[in-house]
Amino acid sequence: MVSEDILLQTLSKKVLVATKEKKSLAQCSDEQLEVSGSIVAGAFMHGLEDEFHEVRKAACHSLGTLTILSSKFAGEALNLLMDVLNDDSMLVRLQAFETMHQMATFGHLKVQEKHMHMFLGTLVDRNTLTRSAARKVLKLAKLPDLKLFRSTIDTLLDNLEMCPQDEADILNVLFHIGRNHGKFVVRIIEEVSQQMEPVSNGKLGFDNVRVGALLVLAISAPLSQERDCSIPPSIFSYAVTYLGRISHALSDIIHQEGLLNYLSQCSRSSGPYDMEFDFSAKRGGTSEILSPTVKKPREAGNSLVEYSLDVQDEVTKSMNVVLEKVKDIWPFVQAGFTTEGLRTLRSCREELATLTSGSIASGGSFAFTMQYIKIMKLLAKAWVNFVPSRHLPSSGMGDLDFVLGKLDARLSELKSTFIGLSKVEELHILELVLVTCMLKLSKVEICCHLGTLRKLSCTMAHAESLLEDGTVEPSRFMIEVRKLLSEIGTSLNGSSCNPVLFRRVLESFFLERLVLCGGLKHIKADLDIPDNDYEHPLCFVAGLPVGIPCHITLHNVSVESRLWLKMTANGIDDTHFVSLDSNLFGGCDDHRIVVFTAPFYKTPKAFSFTVSVCICMEYLSEDEDVSFLKRCGPRHELASLCREKEVFLSMVK
Amino acid sequence: MAIDSLVLGAGQEVGKSCVIVTINGKRIMFDCGMHMGHLDHRRYPDFSLIGPNFNQTLTCIIITHFHLDHIGALPYFTEVCGYSGPIYMTYPTKALAPLMLEDYRKVMVERRGEEEQFTSEHIVECMKKVIPVDLKQTVQVDKDLQIRAYYAGHVLGAAMFYAKVGDAAMVYTGDYNMTPDRHLGAAQIDRLSLDLVITESTYATTIRDSKYAREREFLRAVHTCVAGGGKVLIPSFALGRAQELCILLEDYWERMNLKVPIYFSAGLTRQANMYYKMLISWTSQKIKETYSTHNAFDFKNVHKFERSMIDAPGPCVLFATPGMISGGFSLEVFKHWAPSEKNLVTMPGYCVAGTIGHKLMSGKPTKIDLDKDTRIDVRCQIHQLTFSPHTDAKGIMDLVKFLSPKHVILVHGEKPRMATLKGRIQSELGIQCYDPANNETVSVPSTHYATAVASDAFVQSCSNPNFKFSTSGSEHEQGSSSSNRKSIPRLQVSDDRVAEGILVMEKNKKAKVVHQDELLVMLEEKKHQVKFAYCCPAHIGNLQENQETESTGLPLSSTNNDMLQLLSAKLTNELSEVNIQDFGDHLQVESFRVSICSKEDCPYRLSDNGGEEHYEPMFFCCSWAMEDEKLAWKVISMCQK
C-alpha cells in the first residue's frame, strides 16, 4: 500500500514537498516498494486528460476505488472529477458520477462552492441519464452552507419545470436532501411559505409543481437528525392534499398509508417531533431502501435511519450494494446501450469474484446474487431484440429463442433452489418470469404460444396470491399484465392474441431494485464419485446393471423434498432417474451426507462409455409438464442441485 | 563526426524560428519564421550566415507548422533570396500556410501601409516548391538523408521531424502539445535512437493545471454572461483556438440546451472551418471516431454574423478576428460592446505589447484611447483565457526522457527559464543540454557505426558452449525431518556464453574481431610472459622445530629432497584448496615453482641482513607468473617461517 502522500502526488503534476522527503524515507524501510514522487506525479491527471475515452473512464473508475482509502485524497480527487463532468464523452461523464456516488457512500464527498456551477449544470442537462446520475449523487451529498443548499434547490426546481417527466425522481431527491439538511430546510421554508399559502379563493396552488416540490422538502425536515426543525403544521395538512403524487415519488421509502399517518401526526403537533416515521407500513416490502449500504455509520444515532438498517448481515449488505448497481443497468438496456449494461454486469461479477473469502462465498445471498446477475445478463441480451427504433441485430431468431429458454430455466432454478425468499424477493422473481413470458409471446416467431400463455397465467396467479394480503403494492407492469390477462379472458385462445398487445405491456416494465433481507439459504448438493477418472473407469458387463458409488452431501434440503439422481449415458441420449430417499441421509437438515450406490441398468454394448450424473430436486411449477408422466420418474419439473459429473465406465475384459 | 546546429532564430526568444543543422555533410533548415515584434531587419533570420549560395549549401527546408513565426519568412527566402531547393511540410500545413501568409501580407500592406516584403505571386510560387508529406511517412530526400514526420498536436498539421543521415539521427520538435484538447490529439513519437533533440521550451518552468479547469472557467464566464443577457466577444485567431473554443461551446450549448446564438465573423474563420472539415484525419481521437455520423466542425448553433447585428438586442457569442484586438472587425465590435458592464470580452493567453488586448490584460483600464479623437469606456468584464497549445515543463521533460537523446538543444523560449530547464535536464536526466542564443552554433558529436569483420575462430569461440556446473542442495531441507529422506544435491548447469575477442584495426583495412589465439599469428609476434622470481631464505631450524612440534616422526635430514618434502607436507597442511605437485627437484603449485637453490650468487637473492644467524640459511628459489602473485607470497611467507 502506498502512503497518502504518494496518492496525493498522483493528482498533481508538480512534485510535492512531502513526497520529495518521503523518497528518502521509503528507501530506509527496506521491504517497501519504492515509489518516488516524480514518477507518479500527475498520473491521474494525465489519465483523466487522455485522448482516448476508455483511458479517461478507467482513470475515473480507479479514482473511485482509491478515494475509499483517504478522505484527503478524495477531496483533491473531487476537484478533478467535477471538471470531468464537462468531458466530451458521455460514458466518461457517467463514470465520474458513479465515482462521486461511491465517494458519497463512504462519506468522502465534500462539495465546495467552486464545484457547484459545473455540478448543477448537469442537473439541467439535456440527457436523461446525466440528470438522473447527478440526482443520485445529490441524494447523498452533504452541502456545507445555506447558499449552496439554496442554489441546489433552485436548480432542482428548474429541472422540475424543464423536465416534468423527472418529477417523481426530483421529489424523491428533495426528500432525501431535506432529511440531510433539516436546518436549511426550515430557513428556506420560512422564506417561501408565503408562496405555499392557498390563494384567495381557498384553492391551493398545487397544480403548480413548484409548490409541490417545496412541500416535499418541508415535510422531510422533521426526519432530519438535526433537532428543532419546526415546520408550520399547516404545511403538513397541505401536503396531505398532494398525497398521491408524493407517495408515488417516495414509493421506495414509505407506503402511502404510512405517509398519511405521518403527515397527520405532524400536522397535529408543532414540533419538536418525537413521532416515529412509520416505515413499518412497508416492512418486509421494499422498504429497506433507505439504502442500508449508503447510510453508513455517519448517520448512526438516528433511530429513524437505523431502523432501516435491520439488515445486519454483512454479506447481505454487500450483496445489496452490488444489486443496487445491477438495477442501474436498466435505463441503458432500455435505451439500447446493451453493451454498456453488460459491461456493468461484468464488473459486478468481477466485484463478487473478489469476495470469495470464506463465509461470504458460501452464503446463500452470494449464490443468489451470482445467479441473479446471470439472469440479468440474459435478460439484457434478450431485450435488445425488443428495443424499438433499432434494427434487429444480425443474430437470427434461433439465438433469441435460445436466450429466452435459458433465461426461463435459470429463473425456475432461482425460484426453486433458494429457501427463505421474502415476499418481495419472490414477487421480483415472478415479475421476471412474467417478463420472460411476455417476451416470448411478443415474438410471433417463437412457438409454444399456448404453453407460454398458460405459464403466464399460472405465474400471475401465483403472484396474485402473494399480493392478496395487500402489504405489497403490485408494480405497474404487474397491473398491466393483470389487465391484459383479463382482456384475453379465460379462453386461452392463443391464436387471437396480438403480439403488439404484449409488447405494449412490456413497455411498462421497469427493473426495480432488488433488496435482499438476508436469511437466504441455497439448496445445493455436492456429488462425488470416488476413484473414478479417465484412467480408472468402473467396470461393467454389457447388458447387466452396474452400480455407481456416489458420495452425496446435501445442503439445506428438507426431508420432504423429492430428490432424483439423473443419469444420462452420453452419446446414447438415454436418461434414467433413480429416486433418492431422503431418509437415508444422516446429519441435520442443512448438511446431510450419504453414500449411495446408484444402479445404472441399460449398459450399452460398448467398449467404454460415460454417464453424466446429476442430483435434481423436483419442484412444483406453474405449468406441469405432462410429458413427464409417461414413464416412471419425476412428475414435476426438476432443478439441478449440482454440476453434472462424468462417470467413466469400461467393459470387463 | 559532429552535428552542427546554427540557431538563426528563436534562440533564447520566441519568434522567427529557424535552425540550420548540418549532419554528415547535409544541411537542413528547420522552419523559416519571422518575428512579429520587429519591423526592421531583425524581423527575418540572418540568412547571410548560411553562406553565399543557398541552393548549394542547403539540402532542404522543413517547415513544422503554419504559424507565422515558423513559416513567415519562407516566401521571402525562396522568392526574394532565391532558394529553389525542396521544401517539406505536412499536407494541412501546405493547405493552410497560403491563407496565413496572404492574410499577413494584407495586414502589413493594406492596413499598416508598409512596404511589402513579398507579393501574392511570391506566395503562390513559393508553395509550388513545397513537397507535402504524411505522418510517419519516411521520405528519402536524397541518397543519404531520410526525414519522417510525427504528430505534434499544437495546431492542425503540426509535426515533429526526424532526420537521419548515415548513423547520425536527430529530432526537431517544432511546437508541440503533450495533452490533447477538444480538437487535436497529443503529440506522438516513436522511441528512437537519437544524437540530438531540438525542442521548443515556451513553458520551460510552468507546470499547467488540468485542461478541464481552463474549460470550466471559460464556460462559466460565458454562461454567466449570456444568462445575464450580455454579449460575449471572443477575439480570436482564425485557426486553432477559434475551432477549439467553438467545439467546447457547441458541446456545452447542446448539453445545456442553450439557445443563445453563436456567431463567426465572416472571412478567414469560415474558410478555415472548411479546411478543418476536410482534414479530419489530423484531429483528435473523438472527432475522428464520430465524424462519420457528425462532423464536429459542422457547428449547429453557429451562424454568420452581419455588421448590422452589432447593436441588435439580446445575448450572443461572437468570434471575431484578429485575436489581439489590434484592428479589424474585433476592434469594431469591441468599440460597441465595451461600454456595457453586462458584456464580456475574453482575451487570448498572449498579446503583443501595444495592442488593445495587451492594455486590457495589464490591469483593468476604464478608458482606452484609441487615437487622438476616440476614447472607449471599458466597463465590460474581461476574462483571460489560459488555453495554450504548447506543452508545459513536465511535458518537455517527459518527451526528453522518453526519447533519451545524447544531447538536447532548447529553442523557442525565454532565456532565464530556459536556463532553469537546461539545469533540470542535465541534473535529473543526465543529458547534455544547450540553450544557444541567435546566430550561435552548437556542435555535438554524432554517432558513427564502424562495421567489423569477425574471424572464423572468433565466431567459433562464440558458439562454443561455456558450461558451468554447480551443485545446489537446499540446506534447510536437511533438517530434523529428513532422516529418511536423502537430500540429493541438484546439479545445475549454466551456459553463460562469453564472447571474448580482440578488435584489430589495421591501416587501410576493415576492422576485424579475432580470437585471442589468432592475434600472435596475425601480428607475427612471439608471446611474451612476465615472470617473477625470488630466492627466499629459510631457516632450517624453523622448519625442524615445526617438524618436531608436529611430531610426524620423520628422521631429521638435511638433504634437499627431504627439505622439499617437508615443505610440501607443510603446504598441503596449510593450503588445502590447491593442488601441490612434487617433481622431485621442485614443487609446483599452479604456476608457482619452488626449488632448493644451491647457487651461492643467485640473481634473485636479496642480501640477507639478518647478521646473527645460528644456522646456515637454506634458500628456496621461487618463480611465479603474474596471476598467482597472491598465492606466491603466501607460500613464501610460509617458507620464511
Side-chain angles (χ1 to χ4, degrees):
Chain A
M1 200 70 92
V2 293
S3 63
E4 188 179 52
D5 292 325
I6 292 289
L7 278 183
L8 289 172
Q9 179 65 75
T10 59
L11 298 176
S12 163
K13 285 209 256 180
K14 295 189 182 82
V15 177
L16 304 170
V17 187
T19 49
K20 270 186 189 156
E21 290 162 0
K22 203 87 193 168
K23 193 181 170 186
S24 56
L25 267 176
Q27 278 163 344
C28 297
S29 57
D30 42 74
E31 282 300 294
Q32 257 195 336
L33 178 69
E34 191 188 312
V35 185
S36 80
S38 63
I39 290 174
V40 299
F44 271 115
M45 233 166 121
H46 287 307
L48 291 174
E49 286 185 355
D50 198 273
E51 197 177 338
F52 292 84
H53 66 84
E54 292 90 344
V55 178
R56 299 199 296 270
K57 192 177 166 212
C60 282
H61 182 259
S62 42
L63 262 185
T65 321
L66 289 172
T67 49
I68 299 169
L69 300 175
S70 147
S71 68
K72 198 173 167 201
F73 176 71
E76 291 291 321
L78 186 64
N79 291 337
L80 290 180
L81 269 180
M82 281 293 179
D83 289 336
V84 176
L85 296 182
N86 192 30
D87 194 276
D88 57 12
S89 156
M90 191 179 70
L91 294 178
V92 180
R93 295 200 293 267
L94 288 179
Q95 180 60 51
F97 278 122
E98 182 60 34
T99 305
M100 278 184 219
H101 187 255
Q102 206 169 351
M103 284 162 77
T105 310
F106 288 90
H108 286 163
L109 186 78
K110 293 191 180 59
V111 191
Q112 293 168 39
E113 210 212 323
K114 61 177 174 185
H115 301 142
M116 281 331 253
H117 176 258
M118 204 77 244
F119 186 79
L120 295 179
T122 59
L123 277 177
V124 285
D125 197 286
R126 209 176 205 181
N127 186 290
T128 323
L129 289 175
T130 311
R131 288 199 305 269
S132 77
R135 287 195 296 259
K136 202 171 131 194
V137 174
L138 213 47
K139 276 189 198 179
L140 303 178
K142 191 85 187 140
L143 302 170
D145 58 42
L146 184 64
K147 195 177 158 215
L148 289 191
F149 184 75
R150 196 193 306 267
S151 57
T152 309
I153 299 296
D154 284 346
T155 321
L156 274 172
L157 294 177
D158 289 348
N159 178 359
L160 187 59
E161 269 160 32
M162 270 175 50
C163 328
Q165 71 271 28
D166 289 356
E167 184 187 296
D169 199 26
I170 293 170
L171 295 185
N172 195 313
V173 172
L174 282 170
F175 190 79
H176 275 98
I177 296 190
R179 283 182 10 142
N180 292 339
H181 307 89
K183 284 261 161 53
F184 296 157
V185 174
V186 176
R187 296 274 291 280
I188 296 265
I189 295 301
E190 275 168 16
E191 288 163 31
V192 297
S193 55
Q194 273 309 313
Q195 296 175 28
M196 294 159 72
E197 289 300 319
V199 282
S200 54
N201 57 8
K203 265 192 178 172
L204 290 166
F206 288 151
D207 39 341
N208 182 351
V209 278
R210 198 183 159 84
V211 176
L214 288 170
L215 278 176
V216 174
L217 189 64
I219 63 167
S220 67
L223 293 169
S224 155
Q225 60 265 57
E226 297 161 41
R227 288 288 141 204
D228 307 321
C229 297
S230 47
I231 297 290
S234 58
I235 296 239
F236 293 97
S237 328
Y238 298 156
V240 173
T241 60
Y242 208 33
L243 187 66
R245 270 166 116 165
I246 297 178
S247 79
H248 173 61
L250 305 184
S251 60
D252 62 336
I253 302 171
I254 189 165
H255 189 255
Q256 186 160 348
E257 287 159 35
L259 181 65
L260 181 60
N261 235 337
Y262 164 74
L263 289 178
S264 52
Q265 251 177 308
C266 288
S267 60
R268 267 178 255 129
S269 80
S270 55
Y273 310 91
D274 280 330
M275 85 286 291
E276 295 277 309
F277 191 3
D278 188 14
F279 288 104
S280 61
K282 284 211 71 170
R283 236 202 126 185
T286 39
S287 88
E288 262 71 50
I289 347 328
L290 282 191
S291 354
T293 52
V294 162
K295 316 273 159 164
K296 276 251 165 100
R298 77 196 159 98
E299 287 197 6
N302 180 334
S303 62
L304 280 175
V305 179
E306 261 184 338
Y307 192 70
S308 65
L309 275 175
D310 57 352
V311 182
Q312 288 304 334
D313 175 10
E314 275 300 323
V315 182
T316 313
K317 256 195 232 174
S318 43
M319 290 309 125
N320 279 337
V321 179
V322 176
L323 287 175
E324 160 107 49
K325 278 189 204 149
V326 172
K327 178 206 76 178
D328 293 341
I329 67 157
W330 198 247
F332 285 104
V333 174
Q334 259 184 333
F337 295 106
T338 314
T339 20
E340 196 46 42
L342 290 178
R343 199 173 299 157
T344 314
L345 286 177
R346 204 173 308 135
S347 75
C348 289
R349 273 263 287 280
E350 279 159 13
E351 210 166 299
L352 277 183
T354 60
L355 297 173
T356 46
S357 61
S359 61
I360 297 183
S362 61
S365 7
F366 180 83
F368 185 88
T369 314
M370 238 2 187
Q371 281 264 37
Y372 185 76
I373 289 174
K374 278 182 201 158
I375 286 170
M376 279 304 126
K377 201 172 121 193
L378 290 169
L379 185 61
K381 278 182 185 168
W383 197 272
V384 194
N385 298 282
F386 298 87
V387 174
S389 84
R390 282 190 61 168
H391 300 293
L392 267 181
S394 52
S395 57
M397 227 50 253
D399 198 21
L400 174 64
D401 213 357
F402 175 73
V403 170
L404 284 175
K406 218 163 147 188
L407 183 60
D408 215 7
R410 290 265 186 216
L411 277 168
S412 351
E413 206 176 308
L414 188 71
K415 202 160 49 133
S416 52
T417 56
F418 286 93
I419 41 181
L421 286 173
S422 75
K423 194 180 278 183
V424 176
E425 286 156 359
E426 202 166 351
L427 271 172
H428 189 94
I429 299 170
L430 287 178
E431 189 169 355
L432 291 177
V433 176
L434 288 177
V435 170
T436 314
C437 293
M438 297 300 268
L439 286 175
K440 277 187 183 175
L441 288 170
S442 59
K443 282 278 173 200
V444 244
E445 303 91 320
I446 292 174
C447 51
C448 310
H449 212 80
L450 273 177
T452 314
L453 209 52
R454 187 163 53 228
K455 180 160 183 175
L456 183 72
S457 53
C458 287
T459 312
M460 196 57 214
H462 188 176
E464 293 287 3
S465 72
L466 287 171
L467 288 168
E468 216 165 37
D469 59 355
T471 49
V472 186
E473 283 283 298
S475 66
R476 226 182 97 210
F477 175 70
M478 284 215 181
I479 296 170
E480 292 289 325
V481 176
R482 187 192 284 165
K483 259 193 238 162
L484 180 79
L485 279 175
S486 63
E487 269 172 39
I488 295 172
T490 47
S491 66
L492 282 188
N493 186 0
S495 56
S496 67
C497 294
N498 186 351
V500 181
L501 279 178
F502 297 109
R503 214 172 259 223
R504 196 172 302 143
V505 175
L506 270 177
E507 273 164 27
S508 65
F509 174 71
F510 190 84
L511 185 71
E512 296 286 335
R513 186 179 157 206
L514 176 65
V515 182
L516 299 180
C517 317
L520 274 181
K521 284 180 176 174
H522 188 196
I523 304 178
K524 59 176 179 181
D526 293 328
L527 175 65
D528 187 30
I529 319 286
D531 303 326
N532 180 273
D533 56 38
Y534 178 70
E535 286 173 8
H536 305 96
L538 292 169
C539 293
F540 74 96
V541 177
L544 295 180
V546 63
I548 298 172
C550 303
H551 287 205
I552 300 169
T553 314
L554 298 179
H555 301 275
N556 302 319
V557 179
S558 71
V559 191
E560 298 87 55
S561 46
R562 299 223 299 253
L563 295 180
W564 296 90
L565 210 55
K566 181 178 156 194
M567 295 187 286
T568 315
N570 292 333
I572 304 165
D573 208 23
D574 194 10
T575 308
H576 294 254
F577 288 97
V578 175
S579 171
L580 283 174
D581 187 353
S582 316
N583 296 324
L584 290 174
F585 291 85
C588 59
D589 251 17
D590 54 349
H591 185 78
R592 293 186 293 155
I593 306 168
V594 76
V595 180
F596 177 77
T597 307
F600 183 81
Y601 295 101
K602 286 188 180 170
T603 48
K605 280 181 185 160
F607 185 68
S608 63
F609 72 106
T610 57
V611 177
S612 301
V613 184
C614 178
I615 302 170
C616 299
M617 186 180 68
E618 214 172 307
Y619 67 91
L620 285 167
S621 67
E622 285 74 33
D623 54 330
E624 284 189 21
D625 197 342
V626 222
S627 60
F628 274 116
L629 288 171
K630 63 187 177 201
R631 62 160 85 176
C632 58
R635 284 164 185 268
H636 303 283
E637 265 188 70
L638 290 175
S640 60
L641 299 184
C642 67
R643 288 180 174 230
E644 284 199 342
K645 188 103 185 163
E646 291 252 288
V647 184
F648 298 90
L649 297 123
S650 93
M651 199 182 311
V652 179
K653 282 170 191 146
Chain B
M1 295 282 179
I3 301 178
D4 294 327
S5 313
L6 167 62
V7 178
L8 287 186
Q12 302 178 352
E13 64 165 2
V14 176
K16 60 167 177 180
S17 288
C18 185
V19 182
I20 312 280
V21 180
T22 314
I23 332 176
N24 290 350
K26 301 289 165 192
R27 294 191 97 189
I28 310 165
M29 177 190 274
F30 286 103
D31 282 342
C32 189
M34 59 173 299
H35 202 294
M36 306 291 276
H38 300 300
L39 292 174
D40 50 9
H41 67 279
R42 289 174 297 170
R43 165 158 47 187
Y44 293 139
D46 187 356
F47 295 123
S48 64
L49 293 173
I50 302 172
N53 191 338
F54 302 136
N55 289 325
Q56 270 171 23
T57 46
L58 284 182
T59 315
C60 68
I61 296 180
I62 292 173
I63 303 290
T64 54
H65 62 282
F66 62 69
H67 279 160
L68 285 177
D69 60 335
H70 292 259
I71 201 174
L74 188 65
Y76 176 80
F77 186 57
T78 59
E79 305 311 310
V80 181
C81 300
Y83 171 79
S84 58
I87 303 165
Y88 292 92
M89 56 177 80
T90 61
Y91 283 95
T93 309
K94 187 179 179 185
L96 294 165
L99 292 183
M100 296 290 297
L101 290 167
E102 185 58 35
D103 188 56
Y104 168 70
R105 196 194 60 80
K106 265 192 216 153
V107 171
M108 281 312 223
V109 178
E110 289 164 19
R111 299 232 174 93
R112 291 198 216 156
E114 275 179 51
E115 188 193 336
E116 65 178 9
Q117 305 283 326
F118 46 81
T119 61
S120 299
E121 290 76 42
H122 283 154
I123 299 173
V124 175
E125 282 306 309
C126 168
M127 282 301 145
K128 283 184 183 163
K129 295 176 182 143
V130 172
I131 304 166
V133 296
D134 215 336
L135 287 181
K136 298 202 177 176
Q137 172 196 359
T138 306
V139 178
Q140 201 79 40
V141 176
D142 60 18
K143 196 161 81 11
D144 304 314
L145 174 62
Q146 272 185 359
I147 59 168
R148 199 184 305 147
Y150 287 98
Y151 193 75
H154 188 64
V155 286
L156 196 73
M160 306 197 255
F161 274 91
Y162 165 77
K164 184 178 178 214
V165 182
D167 301 320
M170 55 135 349
V171 160
Y172 178 84
T173 64
D175 294 352
Y176 62 101
N177 191 4
M178 298 286 275
T179 45
D181 62 25
R182 289 273 167 166
H183 73 305
L184 295 173
Q188 279 178 325
I189 195 163
D190 296 330
R191 213 180 273 273
L192 301 157
S193 158
L194 298 172
D195 296 303
L196 173 68
V197 165
I198 302 177
T199 173
E200 66 132 323
S201 50
T202 320
Y203 290 106
T205 52
T206 322
I207 292 182
R208 281 190 296 159
D209 245 2
S210 151
K211 66 166 179 177
Y212 289 112
R214 305 195 279 275
E215 293 180 355
R216 169 186 18 118
E217 279 158 24
F218 170 72
L219 289 175
R220 183 176 185 163
V222 172
H223 192 176
T224 324
C225 175
V226 295
K231 292 173 161 59
V232 183
L233 172 65
I234 307 179
S236 134
F237 193 63
L239 292 159
R241 186 56 32 73
Q243 280 74 21
E244 185 188 354
L245 294 181
C246 204
I247 289 179
L248 185 61
L249 282 180
E250 174 90 2
D251 188 43
Y252 190 72
W253 251 234
E254 197 65 20
R255 279 191 285 133
M256 293 294 120
N257 211 1
L258 295 177
K259 294 286 179 247
V260 177
I262 302 175
Y263 296 112
F264 262 0
S265 67
L268 195 52
T269 317
R270 296 173 71 81
Q271 204 175 346
N273 273 353
M274 191 185 72
Y275 278 104
Y276 270 86
K277 268 189 231 174
M278 292 190 297
L279 297 166
I280 287 291
S281 62
W282 292 76
T283 56
S284 77
Q285 200 59 35
K286 156 97 180 168
I287 294 178
K288 276 190 268 184
E289 275 169 14
T290 53
Y291 95 101
S292 56
T293 48
H294 167 68
N295 193 322
F297 298 102
D298 269 331
F299 299 115
K300 238 194 269 174
N301 297 306
V302 176
H303 313 282
K304 195 177 168 199
F305 195 73
E306 304 290 343
R307 211 166 233 103
S308 59
M309 294 156 98
I310 295 180
D311 287 322
C316 69
V317 178
L318 171 67
F319 286 86
T321 51
M324 300 172 189
I325 325 188
S326 47
F329 194 63
S330 60
L331 179 61
E332 197 179 328
V333 178
F334 180 73
K335 276 191 261 181
H336 283 84
W337 290 4
S340 165
E341 52 277 279
K342 275 204 289 185
N343 295 344
L344 172 76
V345 177
T346 67
M347 296 310 305
Y350 174 76
C351 283
V352 172
T355 57
I356 292 189
H358 189 259
K359 283 181 198 157
L360 289 175
M361 277 162 58
S362 46
K364 200 169 183 304
T366 48
K367 283 181 170 44
I368 287 180
D369 294 312
L370 204 56
D371 49 45
K372 283 196 289 294
D373 313 317
T374 331
R375 164 177 283 193
I376 311 173
D377 280 331
V378 181
R379 294 202 203 90
C380 65
Q381 307 149 55
I382 311 286
H383 176 82
Q384 176 147 14
L385 294 177
T386 46
F387 290 79
S388 169
H390 292 276
T391 185
D392 65 354
K394 187 163 189 300
I396 299 174
M397 290 296 281
D398 287 346
L399 183 82
V400 172
K401 197 174 167 188
F402 175 80
L403 290 174
S404 294
K406 298 192 182 72
H407 304 272
V408 174
I409 294 178
L410 302 178
V411 292
H412 201 283
E414 290 164 34
K415 191 179 174 185
R417 295 182 176 191
M418 286 163 89
T420 315
L421 182 65
K422 177 179 144 185
R424 277 188 69 200
I425 290 178
Q426 287 182 343
S427 64
E428 288 177 31
L429 303 176
I431 295 171
Q432 196 60 43
C433 186
Y434 313 87
D435 56 343
N438 279 347
N439 303 339
E440 280 183 10
T441 304
V442 175
S443 188
V444 302
S446 70
T447 313
H448 178 73
Y449 297 114
T451 45
V453 186
S455 76
D456 292 343
F458 171 68
V459 173
Q460 209 162 18
S461 81
C462 292
S463 55
N464 277 347
N466 178 29
F467 290 125
K468 270 183 193 151
F469 301 95
S470 60
T471 51
S472 78
S474 35
E475 298 293 323
H476 57 273
E477 267 183 33
Q478 294 174 316
S480 53
S481 64
S482 67
S483 53
N484 56 348
R485 187 160 25 113
K486 251 192 191 168
S487 83
I488 306 151
R490 268 177 297 166
L491 185 67
Q492 284 188 333
V493 184
S494 59
D495 181 10
D496 300 320
R497 300 207 177 171
V498 186
E500 266 182 274
I502 296 157
L503 182 71
V504 184
M505 280 176 90
E506 282 177 281
K507 258 189 188 169
N508 304 327
K509 276 190 184 171
K510 271 200 169 172
K512 195 169 183 184
V513 183
V514 296
H515 192 249
Q516 55 186 14
D517 296 344
E518 289 176 297
L519 188 67
L520 291 176
V521 186
M522 202 172 156
L523 300 179
E524 292 162 1
E525 287 281 346
K526 277 186 187 144
K527 192 172 178 178
H528 294 268
Q529 206 175 7
V530 181
K531 268 200 165 185
F532 296 85
Y534 176 50
C535 197
C536 153
H539 300 283
I540 307 160
N542 282 356
L543 273 168
Q544 279 172 346
E545 274 165 38
N546 288 348
Q547 182 60 53
E548 274 163 5
T549 49
E550 285 164 17
S551 53
T552 51
L554 276 173
L556 286 178
S557 160
S558 60
T559 63
N560 291 350
N561 278 3
D562 288 346
M563 282 310 290
L564 271 179
Q565 267 167 13
L566 215 58
L567 182 64
S568 164
K570 188 169 158 61
L571 286 178
T572 325
N573 213 13
E574 300 257 326
L575 305 166
S576 55
E577 71 271 22
V578 293
N579 180 24
I580 300 162
Q581 290 166 289
D582 196 339
F583 293 96
D585 62 332
H586 69 271
L587 292 178
Q588 182 100 28
V589 184
E590 309 276 325
S591 71
F592 183 84
R593 180 190 156 114
V594 59
S595 61
I596 305 291
C597 185
S598 50
K599 284 179 272 182
E600 278 302 311
D601 52 347
C602 182
Y604 310 122
R605 189 174 304 167
L606 296 175
S607 62
D608 195 11
N609 48 5
E612 297 165 45
E613 304 279 331
H614 297 288
Y615 310 97
E616 184 79 349
M618 285 282 303
F619 286 99
F620 291 113
C621 207
C622 314
S623 70
W624 65 91
M626 182 82 156
E627 61 265 29
D628 290 321
E629 202 184 356
K630 263 190 187 160
L631 176 79
W633 284 112
K634 228 176 186 173
V635 178
I636 289 170
S637 70
M638 274 157 54
C639 295
Q640 279 172 333
K641 266 183 209 161

